Amino acid sequence: QVQLVESGGGLVQAGDSLTLSCAASGLTFSFNTDMGWFRQAPGKEREFVAAVSARSGATRYADSVKGRFTISRDNAKNTIYLQMNSLKPEDTALYYCGIGRLASLTVVAPRFYDFWGQGTQVTVSS
């Protein structure tokens, strides 16, 4: 039984920063259990934001957030984070944490992720 719990979302102004957290339970990090952040805005499909390798810590980012967002992990706590800087209104979305047993840094489509949290809302005003 895998559970993911996101936290840290909120209402901020453009240019502000937020840090999201995702605590995972029921699954030990391994090379086959990459974790990532996704987001979904109203009327749009869920899209990839960032992913981190379970073992090496290597990362990958969507072009839209590269240079502004940083994903990190704490294996001891089974937790990943998303540091979001220079937020823009277009970053407004419900942010989800996911675990993908079949995912990798080159396979990041949502369909390859097996488990999801409930999401945490990030709203950026202009």
Side-chain angles (χ1 to χ4, degrees), residues 83-106:
Q83 176 64 47
M84 310 166 71
N85 297 324
S86 301
L87 283 163
K88 304 175 180 179
E90 50 263 44
D91 295 319
T92 296
L94 188 62
Y95 282 71
Y96 295 92
C97 173
I99 293 176
R101 291 175 294 176
L102 299 179
S104 72
L105 295 187
T106 58

Side-chain angles (χ1 to χ4, degrees), residues 21-32:
S21 299
C22 173
S25 62
L27 184 67
T28 302
F29 285 126
S30 74
F31 71 97
N32 280 327

Side-chain angles (χ1 to χ4, degrees), residues 62-90:
D63 289 342
S64 59
V65 307
K66 189 174 298 184
R68 299 187 297 119
F69 292 7
T70 301
I71 187 172
S72 60
R73 67 171 185 172
D74 186 335
N75 284 349
K77 298 180 179 179
N78 279 351
T79 300
I80 63 169
Y81 306 90
L82 187 67
Q83 176 64 47
M84 310 166 71
N85 297 324
S86 301
L87 283 163
K88 304 175 180 179
E90 50 263 44

Side-chain angles (χ1 to χ4, degrees), residues 3-50:
Q3 295 188 29
L4 302 172
V5 180
E6 303 99 331
S7 62
L11 174 62
V12 299
Q13 294 184 340
D16 285 353
S17 298
L18 282 174
T19 299
L20 307 183
S21 299
C22 173
S25 62
L27 184 67
T28 302
F29 285 126
S30 74
F31 71 97
N32 280 327
T33 52
D34 285 1
M35 298 181 68
W37 288 97
F38 297 76
R39 65 188 182 186
Q40 187 168 18
K44 300 185 67 176
E45 295 184 355
R46 189 170 300 184
E47 66 175 0
F48 167 74
V49 174

